[in-house]
Each structure stands twice: as structure tokens, then as C-alpha cells.
Short mmCIF file of all heavy atoms in Angstrom, two decimals:
data_model
loop_
_atom_site.label_atom_id
_atom_site.label_comp_id
_atom_site.label_asym_id
_atom_site.label_seq_id
_atom_site.Cartn_x
_atom_site.Cartn_y
_atom_site.Cartn_z
N ASN A 92 0.84 -1.19 0.00
CA ASN A 92 0.00 0.00 0.00
C ASN A 92 0.88 1.25 0.00
O ASN A 92 1.69 1.46 0.90
CB ASN A 92 -0.89 -0.03 1.25
CG ASN A 92 -1.95 1.05 1.24
OD1 ASN A 92 -1.68 2.18 0.85
ND2 ASN A 92 -3.15 0.70 1.69
N ARG A 93 0.72 2.10 -1.01
CA ARG A 93 1.52 3.32 -1.14
C ARG A 93 1.32 4.25 0.05
O ARG A 93 2.26 4.94 0.49
CB ARG A 93 1.15 4.03 -2.43
CG ARG A 93 2.02 5.23 -2.78
CD ARG A 93 3.44 4.82 -3.11
NE ARG A 93 4.39 5.42 -2.19
CZ ARG A 93 5.70 5.21 -2.23
NH1 ARG A 93 6.22 4.40 -3.15
NH2 ARG A 93 6.51 5.77 -1.36
N GLU A 94 0.12 4.24 0.61
CA GLU A 94 -0.15 5.13 1.75
C GLU A 94 0.72 4.75 2.94
O GLU A 94 1.21 5.62 3.67
CB GLU A 94 -1.63 5.06 2.12
CG GLU A 94 -2.04 6.10 3.15
CD GLU A 94 -3.52 6.07 3.46
OE1 GLU A 94 -4.23 5.17 2.96
OE2 GLU A 94 -3.96 6.94 4.23
N VAL A 95 0.92 3.45 3.15
CA VAL A 95 1.78 3.00 4.25
C VAL A 95 3.21 3.47 4.01
O VAL A 95 3.87 3.99 4.92
CB VAL A 95 1.72 1.46 4.39
CG1 VAL A 95 2.76 0.96 5.38
CG2 VAL A 95 0.32 1.03 4.81
N ARG A 96 3.69 3.30 2.81
CA ARG A 96 5.07 3.70 2.50
C ARG A 96 5.28 5.20 2.69
O ARG A 96 6.29 5.62 3.26
CB ARG A 96 5.42 3.28 1.07
CG ARG A 96 5.34 1.78 0.85
CD ARG A 96 5.93 1.34 -0.48
NE ARG A 96 5.81 -0.11 -0.64
CZ ARG A 96 6.58 -0.85 -1.41
NH1 ARG A 96 7.56 -0.27 -2.11
NH2 ARG A 96 6.39 -2.14 -1.51
N ASP A 97 4.32 5.98 2.24
CA ASP A 97 4.47 7.44 2.37
C ASP A 97 4.40 7.88 3.83
O ASP A 97 5.12 8.80 4.24
CB ASP A 97 3.37 8.14 1.57
CG ASP A 97 3.59 8.02 0.06
OD1 ASP A 97 4.72 7.71 -0.35
OD2 ASP A 97 2.61 8.22 -0.69
N ASP A 98 3.56 7.22 4.62
CA ASP A 98 3.42 7.62 6.01
C ASP A 98 4.71 7.34 6.79
O ASP A 98 5.11 8.13 7.66
CB ASP A 98 2.24 6.90 6.67
CG ASP A 98 1.84 7.56 7.97
OD1 ASP A 98 1.38 8.72 7.93
OD2 ASP A 98 2.02 6.94 9.04
N PHE A 99 5.38 6.24 6.47
CA PHE A 99 6.64 5.96 7.17
C PHE A 99 7.74 6.92 6.73
O PHE A 99 8.62 7.27 7.54
CB PHE A 99 7.05 4.50 7.00
CG PHE A 99 6.54 3.64 8.13
CD1 PHE A 99 5.30 3.03 8.03
CD2 PHE A 99 7.28 3.49 9.28
CE1 PHE A 99 4.81 2.27 9.08
CE2 PHE A 99 6.80 2.73 10.34
CZ PHE A 99 5.56 2.10 10.23
N LEU A 100 7.72 7.37 5.51
CA LEU A 100 8.67 8.40 5.10
C LEU A 100 8.44 9.68 5.91
O LEU A 100 9.40 10.35 6.32
CB LEU A 100 8.54 8.68 3.60
CG LEU A 100 9.07 7.58 2.66
CD1 LEU A 100 8.67 7.87 1.22
CD2 LEU A 100 10.58 7.46 2.78
N ARG A 101 7.18 9.99 6.17
CA ARG A 101 6.88 11.17 7.01
C ARG A 101 7.38 10.95 8.44
O ARG A 101 7.89 11.88 9.07
CB ARG A 101 5.38 11.46 7.00
CG ARG A 101 4.88 12.10 5.71
CD ARG A 101 3.45 12.62 5.85
NE ARG A 101 2.50 11.52 5.87
CZ ARG A 101 1.94 10.98 4.79
NH1 ARG A 101 2.26 11.43 3.58
NH2 ARG A 101 1.06 10.00 4.90
N THR A 102 7.23 9.73 8.95
CA THR A 102 7.71 9.44 10.30
C THR A 102 9.22 9.57 10.40
O THR A 102 9.75 10.19 11.34
CB THR A 102 7.28 8.02 10.72
OG1 THR A 102 5.86 7.99 10.89
CG2 THR A 102 7.96 7.58 12.01
N LEU A 103 9.93 9.02 9.44
CA LEU A 103 11.39 9.12 9.45
C LEU A 103 11.84 10.58 9.38
O LEU A 103 12.76 11.00 10.10
CB LEU A 103 11.98 8.33 8.29
CG LEU A 103 11.77 6.81 8.36
CD1 LEU A 103 12.12 6.18 7.01
CD2 LEU A 103 12.59 6.18 9.47
N ALA A 104 11.19 11.37 8.54
CA ALA A 104 11.53 12.79 8.42
C ALA A 104 11.19 13.54 9.71
O ALA A 104 11.92 14.45 10.12
CB ALA A 104 10.80 13.41 7.24
N PHE A 105 10.09 13.17 10.35
CA PHE A 105 9.69 13.81 11.60
C PHE A 105 10.81 13.71 12.64
O PHE A 105 11.16 14.72 13.28
CB PHE A 105 8.42 13.13 12.13
CG PHE A 105 7.94 13.66 13.46
CD1 PHE A 105 7.09 14.75 13.53
CD2 PHE A 105 8.33 13.04 14.65
CE1 PHE A 105 6.65 15.23 14.76
CE2 PHE A 105 7.89 13.52 15.88
CZ PHE A 105 7.05 14.62 15.93
N TRP A 106 11.39 12.53 12.79
CA TRP A 106 12.44 12.36 13.80
C TRP A 106 13.78 12.89 13.31
O TRP A 106 14.53 13.48 14.11
CB TRP A 106 12.54 10.89 14.20
CG TRP A 106 11.31 10.44 14.93
CD1 TRP A 106 10.36 9.57 14.49
CD2 TRP A 106 10.88 10.88 16.23
NE1 TRP A 106 9.36 9.43 15.42
CE2 TRP A 106 9.66 10.22 16.50
CE3 TRP A 106 11.40 11.75 17.18
CZ2 TRP A 106 8.96 10.42 17.69
CZ3 TRP A 106 10.70 11.96 18.37
CH2 TRP A 106 9.50 11.30 18.62
N ALA A 107 14.07 12.76 12.03
CA ALA A 107 15.32 13.33 11.51
C ALA A 107 15.32 14.84 11.66
O ALA A 107 16.35 15.45 11.99
CB ALA A 107 15.52 12.92 10.06
N ASP A 108 14.17 15.46 11.44
CA ASP A 108 14.07 16.91 11.60
C ASP A 108 14.25 17.35 13.05
O ASP A 108 14.61 18.49 13.31
CB ASP A 108 12.71 17.40 11.09
CG ASP A 108 12.58 17.31 9.57
OD1 ASP A 108 13.61 17.14 8.89
OD2 ASP A 108 11.43 17.37 9.07
N ARG A 109 14.01 16.43 13.99
CA ARG A 109 14.20 16.75 15.41
C ARG A 109 15.63 16.45 15.85
O ARG A 109 15.93 16.51 17.05
CB ARG A 109 13.21 15.96 16.27
CG ARG A 109 11.76 16.23 15.96
CD ARG A 109 10.84 15.62 17.01
NE ARG A 109 10.53 16.58 18.06
CZ ARG A 109 9.49 17.41 18.04
NH1 ARG A 109 8.68 17.40 17.00
NH2 ARG A 109 9.29 18.25 19.02
N GLY A 110 16.50 16.10 14.92
CA GLY A 110 17.90 15.91 15.25
C GLY A 110 18.33 14.47 15.43
O GLY A 110 19.49 14.22 15.81
N VAL A 111 17.44 13.52 15.17
CA VAL A 111 17.83 12.12 15.28
C VAL A 111 18.88 11.81 14.22
O VAL A 111 18.73 12.18 13.05
CB VAL A 111 16.60 11.20 15.13
CG1 VAL A 111 17.01 9.76 14.87
CG2 VAL A 111 15.73 11.29 16.38
N ASP A 112 19.95 11.13 14.63
CA ASP A 112 21.07 10.86 13.73
C ASP A 112 20.96 9.53 13.00
O ASP A 112 21.62 9.34 11.97
CB ASP A 112 22.37 10.85 14.55
CG ASP A 112 22.58 12.16 15.29
OD1 ASP A 112 22.92 13.15 14.62
OD2 ASP A 112 22.40 12.18 16.52
N GLY A 113 20.16 8.61 13.52
CA GLY A 113 20.07 7.31 12.88
C GLY A 113 18.87 6.53 13.40
O GLY A 113 18.19 6.92 14.35
N PHE A 114 18.63 5.39 12.74
CA PHE A 114 17.45 4.57 13.03
C PHE A 114 17.85 3.11 13.09
O PHE A 114 18.63 2.62 12.27
CB PHE A 114 16.39 4.76 11.95
CG PHE A 114 15.92 6.18 11.80
CD1 PHE A 114 16.56 7.05 10.91
CD2 PHE A 114 14.86 6.67 12.54
CE1 PHE A 114 16.14 8.36 10.77
CE2 PHE A 114 14.44 7.98 12.41
CZ PHE A 114 15.08 8.84 11.52
N ARG A 115 17.30 2.40 14.07
CA ARG A 115 17.41 0.94 14.13
C ARG A 115 16.07 0.40 13.65
O ARG A 115 15.01 0.75 14.17
CB ARG A 115 17.71 0.50 15.55
CG ARG A 115 17.83 -1.02 15.73
CD ARG A 115 16.54 -1.61 16.23
NE ARG A 115 16.65 -3.02 16.58
CZ ARG A 115 15.62 -3.78 16.93
NH1 ARG A 115 14.39 -3.28 16.99
NH2 ARG A 115 15.79 -5.05 17.23
N ILE A 116 16.10 -0.46 12.62
CA ILE A 116 14.88 -0.91 11.97
C ILE A 116 14.51 -2.29 12.47
O ILE A 116 15.19 -3.28 12.21
CB ILE A 116 15.04 -0.93 10.43
CG1 ILE A 116 15.66 0.40 9.94
CG2 ILE A 116 13.69 -1.19 9.77
CD1 ILE A 116 14.91 1.64 10.36
N ASP A 117 13.42 -2.37 13.20
CA ASP A 117 12.96 -3.62 13.79
C ASP A 117 12.40 -4.56 12.71
O ASP A 117 11.67 -4.12 11.82
CB ASP A 117 11.86 -3.30 14.82
CG ASP A 117 11.40 -4.50 15.60
OD1 ASP A 117 12.21 -5.08 16.33
OD2 ASP A 117 10.21 -4.86 15.47
N VAL A 118 12.76 -5.82 12.79
CA VAL A 118 12.25 -6.86 11.89
C VAL A 118 12.30 -6.37 10.44
O VAL A 118 11.32 -6.45 9.71
CB VAL A 118 10.82 -7.30 12.28
CG1 VAL A 118 10.47 -8.65 11.64
CG2 VAL A 118 10.65 -7.41 13.77
N ALA A 119 13.45 -5.89 10.05
CA ALA A 119 13.58 -5.23 8.74
C ALA A 119 13.34 -6.17 7.57
O ALA A 119 13.08 -5.72 6.45
CB ALA A 119 14.97 -4.62 8.62
N HIS A 120 13.39 -7.47 7.81
CA HIS A 120 13.27 -8.45 6.73
C HIS A 120 11.84 -8.91 6.48
O HIS A 120 11.60 -9.75 5.60
CB HIS A 120 14.12 -9.68 7.05
CG HIS A 120 13.74 -10.37 8.33
ND1 HIS A 120 13.79 -9.74 9.55
CD2 HIS A 120 13.28 -11.62 8.57
CE1 HIS A 120 13.40 -10.60 10.49
NE2 HIS A 120 13.08 -11.74 9.92
N ALA A 121 10.85 -8.37 7.22
CA ALA A 121 9.51 -8.95 7.18
C ALA A 121 8.46 -8.05 6.54
O ALA A 121 7.29 -8.42 6.52
CB ALA A 121 9.07 -9.33 8.59
N LEU A 122 8.84 -6.89 6.02
CA LEU A 122 7.81 -5.93 5.61
C LEU A 122 6.99 -6.41 4.41
O LEU A 122 5.76 -6.42 4.46
CB LEU A 122 8.46 -4.58 5.30
CG LEU A 122 8.69 -3.63 6.46
CD1 LEU A 122 9.57 -4.26 7.54
CD2 LEU A 122 9.33 -2.33 5.99
N THR A 123 7.65 -6.79 3.34
CA THR A 123 6.92 -7.18 2.13
C THR A 123 6.59 -8.67 2.19
O THR A 123 7.39 -9.49 2.63
CB THR A 123 7.73 -6.87 0.88
OG1 THR A 123 9.02 -7.50 0.97
CG2 THR A 123 7.94 -5.37 0.72
N LYS A 124 5.41 -9.02 1.69
CA LYS A 124 4.92 -10.39 1.77
C LYS A 124 4.21 -10.77 0.47
O LYS A 124 3.62 -9.91 -0.19
CB LYS A 124 3.96 -10.54 2.95
CG LYS A 124 4.57 -10.14 4.30
CD LYS A 124 3.53 -10.10 5.41
CE LYS A 124 4.15 -9.79 6.76
NZ LYS A 124 4.66 -8.40 6.86
N ASP A 125 4.27 -12.03 0.13
CA ASP A 125 3.53 -12.56 -1.02
C ASP A 125 2.37 -13.37 -0.49
O ASP A 125 2.54 -14.49 0.00
CB ASP A 125 4.46 -13.43 -1.88
CG ASP A 125 3.71 -14.08 -3.04
OD1 ASP A 125 2.53 -13.74 -3.27
OD2 ASP A 125 4.31 -14.94 -3.71
N LEU A 126 1.17 -12.82 -0.57
CA LEU A 126 -0.02 -13.48 -0.04
C LEU A 126 -0.98 -13.91 -1.14
O LEU A 126 -2.19 -14.00 -0.93
CB LEU A 126 -0.72 -12.54 0.95
CG LEU A 126 0.11 -12.16 2.18
CD1 LEU A 126 -0.67 -11.24 3.10
CD2 LEU A 126 0.58 -13.38 2.94
N THR A 127 -0.42 -14.19 -2.30
CA THR A 127 -1.25 -14.70 -3.39
C THR A 127 -1.69 -16.13 -3.06
O THR A 127 -0.97 -16.90 -2.43
CB THR A 127 -0.49 -14.68 -4.72
OG1 THR A 127 0.73 -15.41 -4.59
CG2 THR A 127 -0.18 -13.25 -5.14
N GLU A 128 -2.91 -16.46 -3.51
CA GLU A 128 -3.45 -17.80 -3.28
C GLU A 128 -2.83 -18.81 -4.26
O GLU A 128 -2.49 -18.44 -5.39
CB GLU A 128 -4.97 -17.77 -3.47
CG GLU A 128 -5.69 -16.79 -2.54
CD GLU A 128 -5.79 -17.29 -1.10
OE1 GLU A 128 -5.46 -18.46 -0.85
OE2 GLU A 128 -6.20 -16.50 -0.24
N PRO A 129 -2.71 -20.07 -3.86
CA PRO A 129 -3.01 -20.61 -2.53
C PRO A 129 -1.88 -20.32 -1.56
O PRO A 129 -0.70 -20.31 -1.93
CB PRO A 129 -3.14 -22.12 -2.80
CG PRO A 129 -2.22 -22.36 -3.96
CD PRO A 129 -2.31 -21.12 -4.82
N LEU A 130 -2.23 -20.08 -0.31
CA LEU A 130 -1.24 -19.78 0.70
C LEU A 130 -0.63 -21.07 1.25
O LEU A 130 -1.32 -22.07 1.40
CB LEU A 130 -1.88 -18.98 1.84
CG LEU A 130 -2.42 -17.59 1.45
CD1 LEU A 130 -3.16 -16.96 2.62
CD2 LEU A 130 -1.28 -16.69 1.00
N PRO A 131 0.65 -21.05 1.55
CA PRO A 131 1.30 -22.26 2.06
C PRO A 131 0.87 -22.58 3.49
O PRO A 131 0.32 -21.72 4.20
CB PRO A 131 2.79 -21.91 2.00
CG PRO A 131 2.82 -20.43 2.14
CD PRO A 131 1.60 -19.92 1.43
N SER A 132 1.13 -23.78 3.93
CA SER A 132 0.86 -24.18 5.31
C SER A 132 1.97 -23.67 6.23
O SER A 132 3.03 -23.22 5.76
CB SER A 132 0.78 -25.70 5.41
OG SER A 132 2.07 -26.27 5.19
N HIS A 133 1.72 -23.76 7.51
CA HIS A 133 2.75 -23.37 8.47
C HIS A 133 3.99 -24.24 8.31
O HIS A 133 5.12 -23.73 8.37
CB HIS A 133 2.21 -23.49 9.90
CG HIS A 133 3.20 -23.09 10.95
ND1 HIS A 133 3.57 -21.78 11.16
CD2 HIS A 133 3.93 -23.82 11.85
CE1 HIS A 133 4.45 -21.71 12.13
NE2 HIS A 133 4.69 -22.94 12.57
N ALA A 134 3.80 -25.51 8.08
CA ALA A 134 4.95 -26.42 7.91
C ALA A 134 5.79 -26.00 6.71
O ALA A 134 7.02 -26.04 6.76
CB ALA A 134 4.47 -27.85 7.77
N GLU A 135 5.13 -25.60 5.64
CA GLU A 135 5.87 -25.16 4.45
C GLU A 135 6.64 -23.87 4.73
O GLU A 135 7.77 -23.69 4.26
CB GLU A 135 4.90 -24.97 3.28
CG GLU A 135 4.33 -26.28 2.77
CD GLU A 135 3.17 -26.09 1.79
OE1 GLU A 135 2.41 -25.11 1.95
OE2 GLU A 135 3.04 -26.92 0.88
N LEU A 136 6.04 -22.97 5.50
CA LEU A 136 6.74 -21.74 5.85
C LEU A 136 7.96 -22.01 6.72
O LEU A 136 8.93 -21.25 6.68
CB LEU A 136 5.80 -20.79 6.59
CG LEU A 136 4.77 -20.02 5.78
CD1 LEU A 136 3.93 -19.16 6.70
CD2 LEU A 136 5.43 -19.17 4.72
N GLN A 137 7.89 -23.05 7.53
CA GLN A 137 8.96 -23.35 8.46
C GLN A 137 10.16 -24.02 7.78
O GLN A 137 11.18 -24.25 8.43
CB GLN A 137 8.46 -24.27 9.58
CG GLN A 137 7.48 -23.60 10.52
CD GLN A 137 8.11 -22.44 11.28
OE1 GLN A 137 7.94 -21.29 10.91
NE2 GLN A 137 8.84 -22.76 12.33
#
């Protein structure tokens, strides 16, 4: 969703504008997902 991406850019700028020097990105590897059908089972994901 483009709205999600744009809102996080605003968040990053909000803190950078307040003098924040850097960011630690939580669970950075999990943002994008492929949820096209059919979805795999939990065992397949594991």
C-alpha cells in the first residue's frame, strides 16, 4: 500500500528533523509479503 510507504517516510523525516542521527529498523526483513493464493501451510513456511 503506497499510503503505508508514504506515512513511514513522514515518520522518518519527523524524527530526523528533530535531530535524530540514525534509526534501528525492527524486523527489517519482514515488511513485504507474497499473499497470493493458494497460501502455504505453516509447515511449508517453516
Side-chain angles (χ1 to χ4, degrees):
N92 188 319
R93 187 67 241 179
E94 188 177 6
V95 172
R96 299 191 181 204
D97 289 342
D98 195 66
F99 267 90
L100 288 170
R101 285 191 287 272
T102 291
L103 294 168
F105 177 87
W106 293 111
D108 290 345
R109 301 191 93 90
V111 165
D112 303 286
F114 301 90
R115 179 263 187 186
I116 312 304
D117 186 64
V118 198
H120 60 299
L122 275 58
T123 55
K124 303 171 177 69
D125 176 8
L126 298 180
T127 56
E128 302 285 351
L130 296 174
S132 68
H133 181 71
E135 291 169 327
L136 283 179
Q137 291 296 99

